[in-house]
Amino acid sequence: MSIGTRRAQLIGAFGAIYLLWGGTYLAIALGLQSIPPLLLIGARSILGGAVLLGFSQLRRLNPRSREDWWHAAISGALLFIGCHGTLAYAQRYVPSGLSAIFLATIPFWIVLVNVSTGQSEALRRLLALVPGLAGVALIAWNETSNTHNSLPIGAILLLLVSSLSWALGSVYVQRRAAHIPPHDLAGMQLICGSVGLLVLSHLVGEWIDFSPRQVSIVSLGGMLYLALLGSVVGNTAYLWLLDRMSAPVVATYTFVNPVVALMLGAWILGERIAMLSLTGAALVISSVAALLYFASADERA
C-alpha cells in the first residue's frame, strides 16, 4: 500500500469518528422531533447491529458461543441502554452541544472506575481530571441557575449517568470480552442493546400514542444517520483505527466531538450557550486532552 493511500485512509477514518460521531448529537435532536427517545435509539441500534452482524457473519460461519452473547448483552446494555438511551432521554431538555460536552467526560469515568476497582492510575492522570470536573460543575451551576432558561438538574445528572454507563461498558469489554473480534462484538452489542431498549420503550408507554405515520422526514433522516453513519461507518472506522494507531490517539475524538456538536447545534438548531458554560467546556476539553496526552506518554515509556 502506498504512503498516499494509507494517509488518505487515516484521514477518512479520523474524519468519520471526528465529524460523523460529532454529528450524532444533532441527529438525536432531529430524531426526537417525532420519535420517542428509547424507540429512536432502539430502532437505530437494531438497524446498525443487523448491518454490522450481517457483514460479520459473511466472514465467519461458526456462531458465537452463549458465553460470548452473555458478555455482549451485559456490555450492550451498559453502552446502548445506559448510555445512548439515557442520552436521548436527557436531550429532550438539554441542547445537543451541551450534551456532547458532558459525554466528553467518559475518559474521566474510565479512570475513576479503574481506580475504584483496584487498578492503579498515575497521579498525573488523576490530577488531569480536576479541571475537567470543575468545568462540569461550572456548566451545571450556570445552566441550572439561569433565570431565563434554566435546565433541570435531573437531565444533567442523567447525562453524567450516561457517561458513567459508557465507561462501565468499556471497562467490562476490556476485562471480559476482549477475546471477541471487534466487528462481531459491535454488532452483537447493538442487537442486544436494541432488544432492551425496545422492551423498555414499550414498558414506559412510548408505543401507546406512537404511529409510524407521525415520523417526519427530518426525524427519519436523523435515525438513519445514527444507524448507518454513526454506528456502521463510524464504528468500523473506529475499530480500523484501533488496529493501526495507539488508543490514546484514537480517543482524541472525545474532545473533538463536542466542538463539532456545538458548531452544528448553533448553526442548524440555533442553540446558544452562555460564556460561563463555554468556559466550562474549555476546561473539560483541555482536561481530556491532558489525560490522553499522559496516557500516550505512559504507553511510550
Side-chain angles (χ1 to χ4, degrees):
M1 183 185 300
S2 68
I3 295 176
T5 300
R6 176 175 172 77
R7 184 181 294 114
Q9 289 178 335
L10 287 172
I11 292 173
F14 272 109
I17 63 172
Y18 282 1
L19 302 178
L20 295 183
W21 277 2
T24 56
Y25 299 91
L26 171 63
I28 290 175
L30 297 177
L32 288 173
Q33 291 182 4
S34 61
I35 306 175
L38 297 177
L39 184 57
L40 170 66
I41 304 302
R44 165 261 182 111
S45 298
I46 199 167
L47 178 57
V51 173
L52 283 172
L53 204 57
F55 285 146
S56 177
Q57 291 304 308
L58 289 176
R59 294 191 298 269
R60 58 187 309 279
L61 299 178
N62 297 326
R64 304 303 316 182
S65 68
R66 181 180 300 178
E67 181 181 3
D68 287 350
W69 276 101
W70 176 247
H71 291 313
I74 294 174
S75 56
L78 290 167
L79 296 173
F80 298 107
I81 300 176
C83 180
H84 288 180
T86 304
L87 167 65
Y89 189 88
Q91 263 198 241
R92 297 186 304 170
Y93 311 100
V94 181
S96 61
L98 277 181
S99 298
I101 293 168
F102 281 104
L103 268 289
T105 62
I106 288 171
F108 303 169
W109 293 111
I110 291 177
V111 171
L112 294 176
V113 167
N114 285 334
V115 170
S116 66
T117 55
Q119 181 173 317
S120 62
E121 289 283 356
L123 178 60
R124 60 182 181 176
R125 289 198 200 184
L126 297 177
L127 292 176
L129 303 181
V130 175
L133 296 176
V136 169
L138 180 61
I139 295 170
W141 173 81
N142 184 61
E143 295 296 335
T144 56
S145 62
N146 188 331
T147 56
H148 298 291
N149 188 26
S150 177
L151 297 179
I153 186 64
I156 291 177
L157 291 176
L158 283 177
L159 289 172
L160 294 176
V161 169
S162 174
S163 302
L164 173 59
S165 188
W166 185 273
L168 289 169
S170 300
V171 172
Y172 184 90
V173 167
Q174 289 175 340
R175 299 185 183 182
R176 299 294 182 88
H179 64 284
I180 305 175
H183 290 84
D184 286 3
L185 181 60
M188 293 161 67
Q189 288 171 330
L190 281 162
I191 291 295
C192 292
S194 69
V195 172
L197 284 162
L198 294 175
V199 169
L200 281 175
S201 173
H202 176 68
L203 291 177
V204 301
E206 286 187 347
W207 296 12
I208 295 176
D209 298 320
F210 176 78
S211 170
R213 294 181 179 179
Q214 74 187 41
V215 177
S216 67
I217 295 297
V218 171
S219 290
L220 180 61
M223 190 271 287
L224 292 175
Y225 180 101
L226 291 169
L228 302 178
L229 298 182
S231 291
V232 177
V233 178
N235 193 75
T236 301
Y238 178 67
L239 296 174
W240 184 85
L241 284 168
L242 283 179
D243 286 339
R244 291 159 177 81
M245 308 286 290
S246 68
V249 172
V250 179
T252 52
Y253 79 88
T254 57
F255 61 91
V256 176
N257 285 174
V259 177
V260 174
L262 284 168
M263 293 173 62
L264 290 175
W267 176 39
I268 296 177
L269 301 178
E271 296 175 351
R272 293 291 180 268
I273 298 181
M275 185 57 65
L276 273 179
S277 292
L278 288 176
T279 302
L283 287 171
V284 171
I285 293 172
S286 62
S287 188
V288 173
L291 185 63
L292 296 178
Y293 173 79
F294 291 145
S296 181
D298 291 341
E299 279 192 358
R300 294 193 300 267

